[in-house]
């Protein structure tokens, strides 16, 4: 998010806050850096006393920025990045009468680190929107975060301004815990609990963060098995959802383990999924409600011994602070962010994420976009977004003239519902445009298939920006080399290779002990010049698909 002013202030531990901020200024709390010693001991976490801002300052956004780096200074094991995938949480202890209450404000699973490189010296960045935790991220707090598998750099960005709605209270419905499947299903734990809603509130939201673990029963519950979870209120079903995450297009690849396969709420190297439910339409302000959590019954096949890690929380809000307000949440393409590296570089249709942060339903919006300091294209969006709903928008391709010397993309949203935007601080965003590889007009696609009847799993297309498929094939035989000549005009093109089993074309190394005859061989995919030089080579351990954009001719 771009703001007009940014005040970069670094405070560690017990240093106090006394500076006055204007709307749009950003206060940076930076408690952990690359120089902070890696924790000692198996699975040890960083433990810090952090001085957050004091008082009741109004924050438009609070963002936690977590950056991990492979480094020999880590104390977890002999690898620069930890060999295995481990889950850890960010815990904040908050004083409560004569004791403390612990809140889990984020859950993360490290990538398989053997032979892994994530972002080089700059590391790999994940961001968390912590705005809802404003009531507890203030004054002095004890925080536990990370582990010793990778080096951690941790920042909190406090952006001065007015949030979409004031956050009045955060409370644990059920605090973070590790629970056996049978204990949850048999209602031995997480029983019905009574909650008194604040009478001065105008809105409420429930949040569940759940991840499945263990290898019990025939479906290896609960890491590899999707289960249905339910919230009940006053004895009636309120919200129901499945906990399952697609891992085949994980942007951190290749990893050292079985990273491409889908799991219960997480993938190696990702945040654990968060499920949010707006409670406001179903309750009366100030009422007392009974909330209960449930999970589908287990089968009598051993799966009951699987495990779930979970936290359930309730957020209480004031009324919306704006009537008409649209926010540009993110630029997906073109973008140099690691999380979008699977689809970038991209000079096709820009993809952005917008959000309605105004009380009135959002039906129209002007989107101005293009290269920095260049004439902007204007797209008039039409749709229907309720308060806090978001939508991914594909924009017509802008004029990229001047890109080679000015690779910065700008977005400005305005005139929500034809009215003045009441909160201009969230209207602008920029991204650095990574430039695509440049190909000649004639080249060769070379595919060497693997074996064990896996060649039939792959298919490919080469398309232009209009979506017209110029080359394609889905009929491949095992252990065969294919050299496919291609000729295209100047312009931008997309190569897409899919693997239907979402396991790439690499060896199945995990069979080395149980079934070595099923390991197989690696396949290969690369583009060659007519002279045989490699234009681009892909790693065979790519999971679900390879999406690669390239340019023919001079970059404008």
């Amino acid at each position: 998010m771009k703001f007009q002013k940014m005040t970069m202030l670094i405070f560690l531990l017990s240093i106090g806050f006394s500076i006055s901020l204007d709307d749009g200024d950003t206060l940076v709390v930076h408690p952990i850096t690359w120089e902070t010693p890696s924790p000692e001991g198996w699975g040890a976490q960083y433990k810090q006393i952090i001085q957050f801002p004091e008082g009741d300052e109004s924050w438009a956004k609070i963002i936690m920025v977590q950056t991990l780096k492979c480094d020999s200074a880590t104390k977890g094991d002999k690898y620069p990045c930890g060999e295995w995938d481990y889950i850890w949480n960010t815990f904040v202890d908050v004083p409560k009468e004569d004791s403390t209450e612990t809140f889990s404000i984020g859950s993360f699973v490290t990538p398989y680190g053997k032979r892994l490189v994530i972002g080089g010296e700059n590391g790999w960045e994940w961001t968390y929107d912590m705005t809802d935790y404003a009531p507890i991220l203030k004054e002095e707090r004890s925080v536990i975060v990370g582990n010793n598998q990778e080096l951690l750099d941790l920042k909190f960005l406090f952006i001065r301004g007015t949030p979409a709605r004031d956050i009045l209270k955060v409370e644990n419905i059920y605090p973070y815990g590790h629970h056996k499947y049978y204990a949850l299903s048999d209602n031995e734990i997480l029983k019905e609990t009574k909650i008194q809603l604040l009478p001065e509130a105008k809105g409420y939201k429930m949040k569940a963060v759940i991840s499945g673990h263990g290898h019990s029963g025939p479906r290896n519950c609960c890491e590899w098995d999707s289960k249905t979870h339910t919230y009940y209120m006053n004895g009636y079903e309120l919200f129901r959802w499945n906990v399952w995450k697609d891992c085949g297009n994980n942007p951190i690849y290749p990893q050292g383990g079985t990273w491409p396969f889908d799991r219960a709420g997480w993938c190696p190297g990702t945040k654990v999924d968060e499920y949010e439910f707006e409670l406001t339409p179903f309750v009366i302000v100030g009422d007392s409600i009974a909330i209960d959590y449930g999970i589908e019954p287990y089968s009598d096949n051993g799966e009951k011994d699987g495990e779930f890690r979970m936290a359930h929380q309730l957020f209480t809000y004031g009324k919306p602070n704006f009537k008409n307000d649209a926010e540009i949440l993110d630029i997906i393409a073109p973008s140099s962010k690691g999380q979008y590296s699977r689809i970038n570089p991209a000079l096709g249709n820009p993809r952005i994420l917008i959000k309605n942060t105004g009380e009135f339903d959002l039906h129209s919006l002007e989107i101005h976009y293009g290269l920095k300091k260049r004439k902007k294209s204007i797209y008039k969006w039409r749709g229907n977004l309720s308060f806090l709903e978001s939508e991914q928008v594909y924009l017509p391709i802008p004029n990229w003239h001047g890109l080679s010397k000015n690779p910065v993309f700008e977005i400005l949203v305005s005139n929500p519902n034809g009215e003045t935007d009441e909160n201009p601080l969230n209207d602008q965003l920029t991204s650095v445009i990574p430039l695509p590889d440049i190909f000649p007009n004639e080249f060769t696609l070379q595919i060497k298939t693997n074996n064990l009847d896996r060649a039939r799993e792959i298919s490919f297309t080469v398309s232009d920006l209009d979506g017209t498929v110029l080359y394609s094939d889905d009929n491949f035989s095992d252990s065969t080399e294919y050299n496919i000549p291609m000729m295209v005009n100047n312009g931008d093109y997309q190569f897409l290779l899919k693997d239907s089993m979402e396991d790439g074309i690499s060896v199945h190394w995990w069979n080395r002990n149980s079934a070595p005859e099923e390991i197989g061989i690696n396949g290969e995919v690369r583009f060659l010049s007519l002279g045989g030089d490699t234009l681009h080579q892909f790693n065979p351990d790519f999971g679900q698909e390879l999406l690669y954009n390239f340019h023919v001719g001079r970059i404008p």
Side-chain angles (χ1 to χ4, degrees):
M1 181 174 300
K2 180 182 177 183
F3 291 87
Q4 299 306 309
K5 290 184 280 185
M6 177 171 284
T7 303
M8 303 299 289
L9 305 173
I10 299 178
F11 295 84
L12 295 177
L13 304 180
S14 61
I15 298 178
F17 297 87
S18 60
I19 193 159
S20 176
L21 301 176
D22 295 327
D23 283 356
D25 286 346
T26 298
L27 182 69
V28 181
V29 180
H30 196 177
I32 299 175
T33 71
W34 300 138
E35 285 68 44
T36 304
S38 178
E40 300 272 2
W42 178 254
Q45 293 191 268
Y46 292 82
K47 299 179 180 180
Q48 298 280 336
I49 302 298
I50 301 176
Q51 181 66 54
F52 290 110
E54 297 180 356
D56 295 317
E57 191 81 42
S58 178
W59 305 111
K61 290 276 189 179
I62 303 175
I63 305 297
M64 185 174 77
V65 183
Q66 161 197 306
T67 309
L68 299 182
K69 180 172 73 167
C70 298
D71 196 286
S72 58
T74 56
K75 302 293 179 60
D77 54 29
K78 64 182 180 180
Y79 299 101
C81 269
E83 180 176 9
W84 292 96
D85 52 336
Y86 291 95
I87 187 169
W88 50 261
N89 285 59
T90 301
F91 295 112
V92 177
D93 289 338
V94 179
K96 184 178 182 181
E97 298 175 349
D98 295 331
S99 63
T100 60
E101 182 176 9
T102 300
F103 290 83
S104 174
I105 65 172
S107 188
F108 180 79
V109 181
T110 63
Y112 285 104
K114 197 172 182 179
R115 297 182 297 275
L116 178 68
V117 178
I118 48 173
E121 284 302 309
N122 294 323
W124 194 284
E125 181 180 288
W126 293 261
T127 59
Y128 301 71
D129 188 340
M130 293 292 171
T131 312
D132 282 340
Y133 293 102
I136 64 174
L137 294 178
K138 59 183 181 181
E139 304 173 346
E140 187 177 273
R141 295 286 184 259
S142 174
V143 175
I144 298 175
V145 62
N147 65 11
N148 53 13
Q149 297 296 112
E150 296 83 24
L151 284 189
L152 170 65
D153 182 278
L154 188 72
K155 301 183 185 77
F156 291 86
L157 310 181
F158 289 79
I159 303 167
R160 179 67 171 83
T162 304
R165 51 182 175 175
D166 294 332
I167 303 95
L168 305 181
K169 186 179 181 181
V170 184
E171 54 192 306
N172 285 317
I173 303 174
Y174 305 106
Y176 176 81
H178 306 180
H179 308 299
K180 289 292 187 179
Y181 183 13
Y182 71 84
L184 294 167
S185 182
D186 292 343
N187 204 33
E188 295 179 7
I189 53 176
L190 274 58
K191 298 176 182 292
E192 183 179 85
T193 183
K194 292 290 183 66
I195 296 175
Q196 181 65 50
L197 301 176
L198 286 184
E200 65 269 29
K202 299 298 182 182
Y204 310 90
K205 182 179 72 178
M206 301 173 70
K207 181 165 83 169
V209 182
I210 300 174
S211 58
H213 304 272
H215 299 81
S216 298
R219 295 176 61 87
N220 292 313
C221 189
C222 290
E223 178 176 339
W224 305 96
D225 200 0
S226 173
K227 298 297 181 184
T228 300
H229 305 252
T230 307
Y231 280 141
Y232 300 89
M233 186 176 73
N234 300 330
Y236 294 93
E237 180 183 319
L238 185 62
F239 302 113
R240 174 167 288 192
W241 70 101
N242 283 352
V243 172
W244 195 242
K245 189 174 182 68
D246 186 347
C247 297
N249 273 328
N250 192 330
I252 299 180
Y253 80 98
Q255 297 183 32
T258 54
W259 64 270
F261 302 119
D262 302 348
R263 289 168 165 85
W266 61 276
C267 305
T270 70
K271 298 185 291 185
V272 175
D273 283 347
E274 300 179 352
Y275 299 86
E276 298 184 341
F277 307 96
E278 188 68 23
L279 185 61
T280 309
F282 306 101
V283 297
I284 299 174
V285 171
D287 205 357
S288 177
I289 60 174
I291 294 294
D292 198 7
Y293 161 84
I295 190 171
E296 68 177 83
Y298 54 83
S299 299
D300 187 19
N301 57 11
E303 69 175 5
K304 67 184 183 69
D305 292 317
E307 180 182 280
F308 288 95
R309 303 187 179 200
M310 58 178 65
H312 304 265
Q313 294 166 342
L314 176 68
F315 301 88
T316 302
Y317 304 93
K319 64 179 179 61
N321 285 318
F322 309 101
K323 302 295 185 184
N324 292 288
D325 180 35
E327 178 180 1
I328 170 70
L329 271 180
D330 210 353
I331 298 172
I332 299 171
S335 173
S336 58
K337 287 185 177 181
Q339 70 185 100
Y340 302 132
S341 57
R342 281 278 193 166
I343 60 173
N344 282 285
L347 296 182
N349 298 85
R351 293 166 60 179
I352 64 170
L353 192 62
I354 62 171
K355 184 177 183 179
N356 179 22
T357 42
E359 181 180 0
F360 295 159
D361 289 352
L362 183 64
H363 297 295
S364 65
L365 187 67
E366 283 189 11
I367 303 174
H368 302 246
Y369 63 100
L371 294 178
K372 185 176 182 179
K373 298 180 180 179
R374 295 280 182 170
K375 185 178 179 181
K376 301 298 188 286
S377 299
I378 300 176
Y379 178 72
K380 294 187 177 182
W381 173 87
R382 297 287 186 274
N384 185 18
L385 294 179
S386 299
F387 180 51
L388 301 180
E389 285 187 338
S390 60
E391 179 178 308
Q392 189 175 137
V393 178
Y394 287 76
L395 301 171
I397 299 172
N399 183 354
W400 294 119
H401 182 72
L403 172 63
S404 60
K405 296 181 179 179
N406 180 29
V408 178
F409 184 70
E410 290 185 327
I411 289 277
L412 170 68
V413 295
S414 64
N415 299 325
N417 296 327
E419 303 289 340
T420 299
D421 193 303
E422 299 169 33
N423 182 26
L425 290 178
N426 60 12
D427 290 348
Q428 290 181 275
L429 206 60
T430 64
S431 67
V432 175
I433 305 173
L435 300 181
D437 290 336
I438 298 177
F439 276 27
N441 295 100
E442 295 184 62
F443 52 89
T444 298
L445 170 63
Q446 184 181 84
I447 298 177
K448 296 181 180 180
T449 57
N450 47 9
N451 58 352
L452 301 178
D453 200 30
R454 292 175 59 198
R456 61 186 177 88
E457 299 170 6
I458 65 170
S459 62
F460 85 86
T461 59
V462 173
S463 307
D464 62 19
L465 289 185
D466 294 327
T468 302
V469 175
L470 307 177
Y471 297 92
S472 65
D473 203 344
D474 60 0
N475 185 20
F476 294 94
S477 301
D478 278 4
S479 305
T480 303
E481 178 178 313
Y482 295 85
N483 290 284
I484 304 161
M486 297 185 177
M487 180 184 298
V488 296
N489 297 323
N490 288 0
D492 291 282
Y493 299 90
Q494 183 177 97
F495 168 67
L496 178 62
L497 186 142
K498 295 183 178 182
D499 182 89
S500 61
M501 295 302 291
E502 300 188 9
D503 58 355
I505 56 174
S506 59
V507 296
H508 284 174
W509 56 266
W510 50 87
N511 289 322
R512 62 180 180 270
N513 293 322
S514 60
E517 71 280 3
E518 296 180 12
I519 293 176
I521 60 174
N522 279 326
E524 295 181 20
V525 179
R526 57 182 174 175
F527 284 104
L528 303 173
S529 69
L530 295 185
D533 295 327
T534 298
L535 299 173
H536 188 85
Q537 181 151 357
F538 302 91
N539 193 295
D541 187 13
F542 58 80
Q544 181 174 333
E545 66 184 31
L546 293 169
L547 192 156
Y548 176 71
N549 299 300
F550 60 93
H551 182 83
V552 176
R554 185 176 63 86
I555 296 288

